[in-house]
Amino acid sequence: MAEANDFSLNEEIQRILGPSVANEAALPYHSGVERVPEEAGIGDAPVVRVLNTIINQAIRDRASDIHIEPMKGQLRIRFRIDGLLHEKTFLSPSVLPPLVTRIKILASLDIAEKRLPQDGRFHAKSDKGEVDLRISTLPTVFGEKVVIRILSKSPELLQMGRLGYNQANLMRLSEIIRYSCGMILITGPTGSGKTTTLYALINQLNNSERNIVSIEEPVEYVMPGVNQTQVNNKTGLSFAAGLRSILRQDPNIIIVGEIRDLETANIAAKAGNSGHLVLSTLHTNDAPGAIARLVDMGVEPYVVASSVVGVVCQRLVRVLCPGCKEPYQLETRGMERDFSGIPKGQDVILYRPRGCPACRHIGYQGRTCIQEILPVSNTIRQMIKNRASELEIKLQGIAEGMKTIKKDGLERAIEGVTSIGEVMRVAFSEEEN
């Protein structure tokens, strides 16, 4: 179903580019999205207004990304809202060259280079506040594709209490970041909110008595009082090289944007062992998997055991629209019952999306976290030294009170915060416990 805002965006762009043509047939594979009429070309002033219109609409729709995609005979505009892409409008392919040029000028990119990918950024102001826009271009067979990542600079978004953690996990997280040294890892797949959580923890720890230094790729949020460095592989400033230099800057807290290789992992772990608090991210499916990943990279188990003090793993699920979510009885049989592990004789009320004007007929509004937090206890520390398996560490964590991502998600579904379909979408690979 097309969203109400799609048509307002179409109408505004049509007003900028000129009167509509007679034939505005909808696309056969997406009957709710209208075409924007073809134009021979647009000048500087129209393309400025078109780009501003697209960006402002994306911000109003709470989009995290804008996709400008050249296709055969048309230019598709999509917004990523709450983790999923939605088609918004279609333009003439003749709009692409001036639109890309305008974006490149704002992002200080080479407008003549169309054969290689480029990355840049610029700032913008809207009625929702100031935002950072991160730009990525990619050559395709139909022209350059552009993705614009929208990063809000609102400080309220970087508060621990706004991460969506349940109270028990928030208390566990608060205890972990009280450590004066050691390594805290935030894990999860791409798009699971790891960076936002990392910055919220930095914001919590930031004060005038601490020297906080980071090495990131890229710097997504500029934080007052934090010395932030951006990776530059062209000049040889890698994560490992930057981290070695940071250790000579008398840091209290070190932020490593992501651990990607053995050299970075070893330096970060040894920094955690030498009196520094190190925060970093890692791509793993669960919290115990972060331990196994470091060992698989080649970090000695005794180094991992002595440096890692806690692991946070998280996913993002969409929040059901409070105005239109509807309750239903969990079926006796089916995929949802099998996934939940709830016995067949037990009646459970869940909630599902319906759609209304308030949520643009999607059924969801916003996202929240489901997570698992693994503090590294003395028992788990000894298990790591003894090269215990990932499963053994997971079972010990559960015995010590760790709630798995799947269990946390199921509780949120029963509470009516999200749907079980959302939990299945992000945690289907999780084993039942």
Side-chain angles (χ1 to χ4, degrees), residues 11-155:
E11 290 167 1
E12 178 63 20
I13 294 178
Q14 287 178 12
R15 185 184 65 79
I16 295 170
L17 297 182
S20 60
V21 293
N23 181 16
E24 294 182 4
L27 294 175
Y29 61 90
H30 196 300
S31 60
V33 180
E34 296 182 352
R35 291 184 187 272
V36 170
E38 296 248 354
E39 293 292 321
I42 57 176
D44 288 341
V47 79
V48 169
R49 297 203 302 274
V50 166
L51 180 59
N52 290 345
T53 298
I54 292 171
I55 292 174
N56 286 330
Q57 185 64 51
I59 294 171
R60 283 194 293 269
D61 286 356
R62 299 177 296 102
S64 62
D65 300 86
I66 302 169
H67 288 244
I68 301 172
E69 302 171 305
M71 305 171 70
K72 186 176 181 179
Q74 60 191 1
L75 177 62
R76 179 170 67 174
I77 308 296
R78 293 193 291 173
F79 294 169
R80 187 176 294 279
I81 302 172
D82 295 336
L84 299 181
L85 284 168
H86 299 267
E87 289 176 339
K88 286 307 206 176
T89 191
F90 289 82
L91 309 178
S92 162
S94 63
V95 176
L96 180 64
L99 188 60
V100 172
T101 298
R102 173 63 181 168
I103 293 170
K104 285 183 174 181
I105 289 172
L106 290 171
S108 301
L109 301 179
D110 185 354
I111 62 174
E113 180 56 75
K114 301 179 180 180
R115 300 167 297 174
L116 296 173
Q118 297 187 68
D119 296 298
R121 66 191 306 160
F122 63 93
H123 308 287
K125 290 184 178 180
S126 73
D127 51 2
K128 300 290 186 181
E130 191 173 352
V131 295
D132 282 333
L133 301 172
R134 203 171 76 203
I135 311 301
S136 174
T137 69
L138 180 71
T140 73
V141 292
F142 296 113
E144 289 184 275
K145 175 184 175 179
V146 180
V147 174
I148 303 175
R149 169 65 57 89
I150 302 172
L151 300 167
S152 174
K153 300 182 75 173
S154 173

Side-chain angles (χ1 to χ4, degrees), residues 285-300:
N285 290 327
D286 59 10
I291 305 295
R293 178 64 56 84
L294 290 176
V295 174
D296 289 344
M297 280 183 174
V299 182
E300 291 293 336

Side-chain angles (χ1 to χ4, degrees), residues 65-272:
D65 300 86
I66 302 169
H67 288 244
I68 301 172
E69 302 171 305
M71 305 171 70
K72 186 176 181 179
Q74 60 191 1
L75 177 62
R76 179 170 67 174
I77 308 296
R78 293 193 291 173
F79 294 169
R80 187 176 294 279
I81 302 172
D82 295 336
L84 299 181
L85 284 168
H86 299 267
E87 289 176 339
K88 286 307 206 176
T89 191
F90 289 82
L91 309 178
S92 162
S94 63
V95 176
L96 180 64
L99 188 60
V100 172
T101 298
R102 173 63 181 168
I103 293 170
K104 285 183 174 181
I105 289 172
L106 290 171
S108 301
L109 301 179
D110 185 354
I111 62 174
E113 180 56 75
K114 301 179 180 180
R115 300 167 297 174
L116 296 173
Q118 297 187 68
D119 296 298
R121 66 191 306 160
F122 63 93
H123 308 287
K125 290 184 178 180
S126 73
D127 51 2
K128 300 290 186 181
E130 191 173 352
V131 295
D132 282 333
L133 301 172
R134 203 171 76 203
I135 311 301
S136 174
T137 69
L138 180 71
T140 73
V141 292
F142 296 113
E144 289 184 275
K145 175 184 175 179
V146 180
V147 174
I148 303 175
R149 169 65 57 89
I150 302 172
L151 300 167
S152 174
K153 300 182 75 173
S154 173
E156 290 80 11
L157 298 177
L158 302 179
Q159 303 294 328
M160 283 181 58
R162 294 178 62 90
L163 293 175
Y165 280 36
N166 62 55
Q167 193 60 38
N169 279 342
L170 191 60
M171 289 179 63
R172 279 194 154 203
L173 185 59
S174 298
E175 290 173 2
I176 289 173
I177 65 171
R178 289 197 184 107
Y179 280 86
S180 59
C181 61
M183 186 159 62
I184 300 171
L185 296 172
I186 303 167
T187 74
T190 301
S192 59
K194 298 188 300 296
T195 302
T196 300
T197 298
L198 181 64
Y199 277 101
L201 297 184
I202 299 170
N203 195 39
Q204 180 77 14
L205 295 167
N206 189 14
N207 62 43
S208 60
E209 297 175 353
R210 293 184 173 123
N211 178 23
I212 304 177
V213 189
S214 78
I215 178 73
E216 307 170 56
E217 186 186 20
V219 174
E220 294 195 2
Y221 298 95
V222 176
M223 303 194 69
V226 179
N227 304 284
Q228 296 172 272
T229 305
Q230 184 159 308
V231 166
N232 188 340
N233 290 315
K234 292 180 180 178
T235 63
L237 182 57
S238 63
F239 275 114
L243 189 49
R244 279 194 295 268
S245 297
I246 286 172
L247 289 171
R248 296 190 290 271
Q249 288 286 313
D250 185 32
N252 298 107
I253 299 173
I254 300 171
I255 314 299
V256 183
E258 184 181 345
I259 294 177
R260 298 178 180 173
D261 52 56
L262 174 58
E263 186 179 12
T264 305
N266 265 325
I267 298 171
K270 290 174 181 177

